[in-house]
Amino acid sequence: MNRGRFKGLALLVLAISQLIMALDYTIIFVAMPSLGEGLGFSANHLQWVVSAYSLAFGGFLLIGGRLSDMLGRRRMFMIAMSLFGLGSMLGGLSDSQLMLIIARGLQGLGGALLSPATLSLIMSNFEQGAERNRAMGIWAAMGGVGMSLGLLLGGVLTSFIGWEATFFVNVPIALFTLLLAPVVLNESTAMSGRKHFDIAGTISVTAGMLLVVYYLIQSPISGWLSSTTLPLVLIGTALLVSFVVIEKLSKGPLINFRMFRNRNLTGAALVAFLFSASFGTLYYFLTLYTQNVLHFSAIQSGLTFLPLTLSAFLGAKFITPMLAKVGVAGTIASGMALGGVGFLLLTQLSATGNALGVIPGTIIIGFGQALVFTTMFIAGSTGVDPSEQGVSSAVINTGQQIGGAIGLAVIIAFISATLGSNATMETMSPAALNSSIHTAFIISAVVTLIGIIVAFAALKRIGGNTPEEGKVIATH
């Protein structure tokens, strides 16, 4: 436990780390047209600037969580931040498509190792109760804020400096956290006893996740039953099934399935999946609207997200009273409901409209986003053994990553089926694209409704109904 005078700095380091990961997820969207033109990406290859990151992040999350628990969270934090910073520097220096895609993969690998370590460090550096809950709330809120801030910052940097700046901006931040981490963060106690590295489980789950995520990324382009993608998802699924068998037989499993008896963790992972499948797709479709329908510049497009960023900041301040009044399930459900209302408002966007039409919907969505993103991590950490906090964080993040990939893939597939053509959204006429974006927002609204149901069904016991659970909420 961090008992020194550096707790404020420790929280700053961990909050910045969460912010930089969320920011990096969206900052690239606004820079994509300039980046594609600068390095000569084709329409089909440009998606890999985003996909390489998602593939590595989703594929290595579970091993990242396990290594964090086994080797020490601060050690893994520093290794992961170094990888992330290196990937960012290489991305900014890239002069070829291959180099940039490799750099994005390295960023994704760093993020996969970093994310579980940061949440685990909150558990080991802050006292259980009000102090830890406050730290966790700030940490998680930075994720929600970072996703919207990334689009704003991406527009400014791309317009005034160039797309390379969207990568270089991470480097000094990474160096700052690396310099402070050894001083302000206490190392968690590594697992005692003989350490067993579950090599078979690691290989099977990582390879399986990589193949499944690749299928979800590539199938909207190649076809869901394409001979180039279908065998991969079948192999990936088989590897994940074998992983379950391996884990049940292993003496030191990568993940103990007993954890899923914890209703809070399972419910939080489901909420994370639905959150990313709805809220997480907003940035892609709203960027398409501002740049391809309204023909905004990068900075104009980024500034369009300013109201969402500000409302996410504001929403984070309401989490504590919401938790006290309606509990975790009620807070998540409220956030999902706000998201649904916001998405429905965005279905009124016009092909001949302006930025003002975006503001009401995005303000409501930003507020709801803050409530859901923060609270799902609070829920997922409830009742989890301290020695398994890294893996539990990885489970929630895996749900989030897979949810985003599946959500986007399903929406694009539905739109393609409705159109009955092979046209991509980037090549549609403004009117047709606007109509397709409306469809995407309707589907996202439906997903938020499912999220409300899941919140009450899976997390209904969290909210002060028992002394232990009441303490979790009351002390936040």
Side-chain angles (χ1 to χ4, degrees):
M1 196 63 57
N2 191 332
R3 302 185 185 279
R5 61 184 184 277
F6 297 121
K7 282 192 175 182
L9 286 174
L11 181 55
L12 175 65
V13 167
L14 297 174
I16 287 176
S17 302
Q18 177 68 351
L19 178 70
I20 195 177
M21 282 189 292
L23 184 147
D24 192 70
Y25 176 76
T26 57
I27 196 173
I28 199 69
F29 285 150
V30 179
M32 291 280 274
S34 299
L35 185 155
E37 182 179 350
L39 294 180
F41 275 95
S42 66
N44 285 344
H45 289 162
L46 185 58
Q47 62 144 344
W48 280 102
V49 177
V50 174
S51 300
Y53 181 90
S54 299
L55 189 64
F57 198 113
F60 289 95
L61 263 172
L62 285 177
I63 183 59
R66 181 62 171 172
L67 289 174
S68 177
D69 289 336
M70 293 184 70
L71 303 181
R73 282 80 183 252
R74 188 178 68 185
R75 180 183 301 173
M76 284 307 303
F77 175 91
M78 296 183 68
I79 292 171
M81 186 60 79
S82 298
L83 289 172
F84 189 87
L86 177 61
S88 298
M89 184 175 67
L90 291 176
L93 295 172
S94 294
D95 58 2
S96 69
Q97 297 176 22
L98 179 61
M99 184 176 177
L100 184 63
I101 290 173
I102 291 173
R104 286 291 286 168
L106 190 58
Q107 280 186 310
L109 174 60
L113 303 179
L114 184 63
S115 185
T118 54
L119 180 58
S120 302
L121 281 166
I122 288 178
M123 301 302 157
S124 59
N125 279 263
F126 297 91
E127 296 282 356
Q128 183 175 355
E131 180 181 88
R132 182 181 297 174
N133 287 337
R134 175 180 172 272
M136 190 183 301
I138 293 172
W139 172 85
M142 287 301 99
V145 168
M147 286 194 292
S148 51
L149 182 61
L151 291 159
L152 174 60
L153 186 59
V156 173
L157 292 175
T158 302
S159 295
F160 289 103
I161 302 176
W163 63 263
E164 296 89 347
T166 62
F167 290 92
F168 285 137
V169 69
N170 295 327
V171 177
I173 300 174
L175 289 174
F176 173 76
T177 58
L178 284 171
L179 288 172
L180 282 183
V183 179
V184 304
L185 296 177
N186 282 1
E187 179 62 281
S188 62
T189 303
M191 294 176 61
S192 58
R194 184 179 178 183
K195 297 181 178 68
H196 178 83
F197 287 89
D198 182 9
I199 297 176
T202 298
I203 293 173
S204 60
V205 73
T206 302
M209 288 292 293
L210 286 170
L211 290 173
V212 170
V213 173
Y214 176 84
Y215 173 79
L216 293 172
I217 291 170
Q218 192 65 25
S219 288
I221 297 171
S222 302
W224 295 96
L225 300 178
S226 168
S227 60
T228 61
T229 55
L230 185 59
L232 298 180
V233 74
L234 294 177
I235 295 171
T237 303
L239 285 169
L240 293 178
V241 171
S242 68
F243 167 70
V244 174
V245 176
I246 291 168
E247 296 307 280
K248 289 185 176 180
L249 299 176
S250 176
K251 294 180 180 179
L254 186 67
I255 181 170
N256 193 326
F257 289 102
R258 168 188 50 78
M259 293 175 62
F260 291 103
R261 296 176 187 171
N262 181 340
R263 191 170 178 176
N264 306 340
L265 175 60
T266 304
L270 288 172
V271 167
F273 178 94
L274 295 168
F275 169 80
S276 198
S278 52
F279 288 80
T281 62
L282 168 71
Y283 304 98
Y284 174 75
F285 291 108
L286 204 52
T287 301
L288 276 178
Y289 176 74
T290 57
Q291 293 195 345
N292 292 39
V293 176
L294 300 184
H295 303 294
F296 281 4
S297 65
I299 190 168
Q300 287 176 317
S301 182
L303 287 171
T304 304
F305 289 88
L306 180 59
L308 189 148
T309 304
L310 296 176
S311 67
F313 270 115
L314 180 63
K317 297 182 180 295
F318 283 82
I319 294 169
T320 296
M322 287 287 292
L323 287 169
K325 290 181 179 179
V326 299
V328 170
T331 302
I332 288 175
S334 298
M336 285 287 187
L338 287 170
V341 172
F343 282 118
L344 291 177
L345 285 175
L346 290 178
T347 62
Q348 304 305 306
L349 293 177
S350 167
T352 57
N354 53 52
L356 293 177
V358 175
I359 292 176
T362 54
I363 286 178
I364 295 173
I365 290 173
F367 199 99
Q369 173 183 283
L371 296 181
V372 179
F373 189 90
T374 304
T375 311
M376 70 189 189
F377 282 101
I378 293 174
S381 66
T382 304
V384 175
D385 189 278
S387 67
E388 295 176 330
Q389 286 290 350
V391 172
S392 69
S393 173
V395 168
I396 299 172
N397 275 289
T398 299
Q400 186 182 349
Q401 287 294 313
I402 297 299
I406 290 180
L408 189 59
V410 168
I411 291 172
I412 292 176
F414 185 87
I415 291 171
S416 298
T418 303
L419 293 172
S421 70
N422 294 323
T424 64
M425 297 188 73
E426 288 80 2
T427 60
M428 292 179 185
S429 68
L433 178 58
N434 188 61
S435 178
S436 296
I437 291 171
H438 288 180
T439 301
F441 290 148
I442 291 171
I443 295 173
S444 294
V446 172
V447 175
T448 62
L449 177 60
I450 298 172
I452 295 171
I453 297 170
V454 168
F456 284 121
L459 301 172
K460 62 184 180 182
R461 293 178 58 205
I462 311 177
N465 294 331
T466 70
E468 181 180 354
E469 291 159 354
K471 183 180 179 182
V472 172
I473 303 304
T475 57
H476 190 280

